[in-house]
Amino acid sequence: MTAVLRRLAPPSLSQQLRDTAAMTRPLMLDIIAQACRRYPSLGQSERTARIMRLIDAEAWADAALGLLELELPLWQVRRIAYDEGEWHCALSRERELPDWLDEAVEAHHADLALALLSALVEVRAVTAEAPRPSVPSVGPVRDPLYEPIACDNFG
């Protein structure tokens, strides 16, 4: 059902990032509005002011790294690599694990800031799709006729 809704919806933020050649201020502000949950709630804190100064200076990669740090505190940059004209960015919750054991989220783009922000958007999509209960789960209820007994013979 969600796949049908996605096809009918306007282009997703992920698609917009893939189709964009270079970062712009309006695009950065759009990303903050659509994908950043913590940024607006902090108001005019020192961290948000720093990110806005980086945006004003068009320091896109630094602003993207600042947003990653602010928005995904449990995630870390695992890898940034440049290969065949594209930046590849991998974010992970378990950076110290070997690559083959880690479930990193990866994104790529010709622009470094767009690769970083694409990874942020992908993490948001992955974490939104993962079902998490709102309350802790408990074990099954035991049968009311169940009664543990001791079977040791000490005699």
Side-chain angles (χ1 to χ4, degrees):
M1 179 72 172
T2 58
V4 172
L5 293 176
R6 285 184 189 162
R7 279 185 272 163
L8 297 175
S12 68
L13 189 54
S14 296
Q15 187 64 41
Q16 287 177 325
L17 292 172
R18 279 191 295 274
D19 294 343
T20 301
M23 180 57 72
T24 63
R25 180 182 174 83
L27 178 59
M28 179 65 88
L29 297 177
D30 195 31
I31 292 166
I32 290 172
Q34 290 186 45
C36 297
R37 298 179 195 140
R38 302 182 86 203
Y39 186 91
S41 67
L42 292 176
Q44 287 300 321
S45 72
E46 177 56 37
R47 294 172 83 182
T48 58
R50 178 179 167 269
I51 292 171
M52 282 310 295
R53 285 192 304 270
L54 291 169
I55 291 170
D56 291 339
E58 296 184 1
W60 305 126
D62 291 332
L65 288 169
L67 281 174
L68 286 173
E69 180 183 354
L70 178 68
E71 292 294 321
L72 304 173
L74 299 177
W75 292 76
Q76 301 172 353
V77 175
R78 179 176 181 90
R79 179 180 58 254
I80 296 176
Y82 186 76
D83 185 33
E84 296 183 12
E86 283 195 327
W87 288 98
H88 297 264
C89 175
L91 301 179
S92 172
R93 292 186 77 169
E94 301 291 335
R95 191 172 69 179
E96 302 304 321
L97 287 177
D99 280 345
W100 58 277
L101 281 176
D102 190 18
E103 293 184 23
V105 173
E106 299 189 28
H108 58 90
H109 198 281
D111 183 89
L112 175 58
L114 290 170
L116 292 165
L117 292 170
S118 294
L120 181 144
V121 170
E122 289 302 314
V123 167
R124 286 287 190 223
V126 167
T127 56
E129 291 174 4
R132 283 186 272 161
S134 60
V135 295
S137 59
V138 294
V141 177
R142 290 197 171 126
D143 185 358
L145 299 176
Y146 171 80
E147 185 175 334
I149 59 171
C151 297
D152 294 331
N153 183 358
F154 296 108

